[in-house]
Amino acid sequence: MRITQVAAESLRSFERLRFQPHPHINIFHGANAAGKTTVLEAVYLGARAGSFRARRLDEVIREGATSAKVSLAVCGDDFPAPPVIWGVSCRRGEAQIQRFDEAANRRELAEAIPVALVDRQLHRVFEEGPVYRRRYLDWGLFYVEQSFFGLWRRYERALRQRNQALRQKLSLRQIQAWEPELVASGEALHQLRREHLTVLEQEARVWLMEMLGSDRFSLQLVAGWDEAVSLSKALESGFEGDRKMGFTHAGPHRAELRLRFEGHEARSFVSRGQQKMLSVAMVLAQAALVARHRQQHPVILLDDLEAELSQDWQNRLLAALKRYPGQSLVTSLEWRVAPGVAGLSPSDYRLFHVEQGTLGVVETPQ
């Protein structure tokens, strides 16, 4: 999948933003607060109908404007047909999605434009709660396993209904009425995660060997209940605690993904620079698996190339992006990679300069 054109109106510092990305690597460089991250946000907003920087969508609207709009022109990897135009409009904190001129929903948009983000909050995957690691795992499953989304929705609905029954202190029969669906969808969801994780771990090791010179990396999925017993038994044994607290303790919604590198827990052992390289490798591994199943490569969004990385590690990261067949958009405070460094030639990338409210292509020598 390739984005061939990005257009936005009234998005943060940009009154109008319009550019044609390179099909492979795109570098956006400029001073602090110039709007580089907003360029990535525009693509993310156009692909997800959400922001990775703002909790409320009205925060992305340019001061003095009443709405913001983003449109993306999208083609297949081999450019077999005219592009599909997707548009997202933000007004009063709500997003409206269109495919050409017809209304669409978030699921349709996400399926059409898979994007993977590595931003300044990547440390959360290592240092904060398991929700961020589950989100990483489930992003890949959404694209590679057709049954995942339906199972996830079934499980979420049964969990929500059981929790509501617990909070309302309904009868045992009314609470347990949701357990067959909760167990069936929950155990199937856990099995999908385990199977995906086995393949994902092997793919991540390939990228890590290239980027950090080591493949001593492992991913372990903790189910969210004691796997010595079935989920049904775990719910039964934990029932009194659930009723007292008003929510369900056991299940894949409490699953944990544990990351180990060089024989240590990645959370406490690796440096911030290693965290970034690990994150990029993990994202590239997911993207490679998605491409195998869908024959379309997700777009990689990487914010702040230099942060936490030496020049050597920046070069390794860029070399990995060159090897990745898909498209990537990268922000850089000071672009210092000379032609030939990291194996890049001028034909591999397009360089943009970002200033307050403007974006221009920087000509590179051929």
Side-chain angles (χ1 to χ4, degrees), residues 81-119:
V84 177
I85 309 300
W86 289 85
V88 175
S89 299
C90 303
R91 182 189 295 269
R92 297 172 184 171
E94 297 182 354
Q96 294 183 329
I97 305 168
Q98 287 187 315
R99 182 184 183 274
F100 291 118
D101 294 324
E102 297 182 357
N105 59 46
R106 278 184 164 84
R107 180 184 177 184
E108 292 169 330
L109 179 65
E111 288 180 339
I113 315 177
V115 296
L117 173 70
V118 180
D119 70 348

Side-chain angles (χ1 to χ4, degrees), residues 273-284:
Q274 288 173 316
Q275 284 182 8
K276 186 167 186 174
M277 298 291 270
L278 279 166
S279 295
V280 174
M282 289 166 63
V283 165
L284 288 172

Side-chain angles (χ1 to χ4, degrees), residues 118-145:
V118 180
D119 70 348
R120 296 167 188 171
Q121 302 301 313
L122 62 90
H123 65 88
R124 291 183 172 182
V125 174
F126 298 91
E127 298 174 1
E128 297 191 19
V131 62
Y132 299 99
R133 293 180 284 280
R134 285 197 301 270
R135 195 174 294 163
Y136 160 77
L137 184 61
D138 290 347
W139 180 88
L141 271 169
F142 175 81
Y143 291 104
V144 306
E145 179 50 62

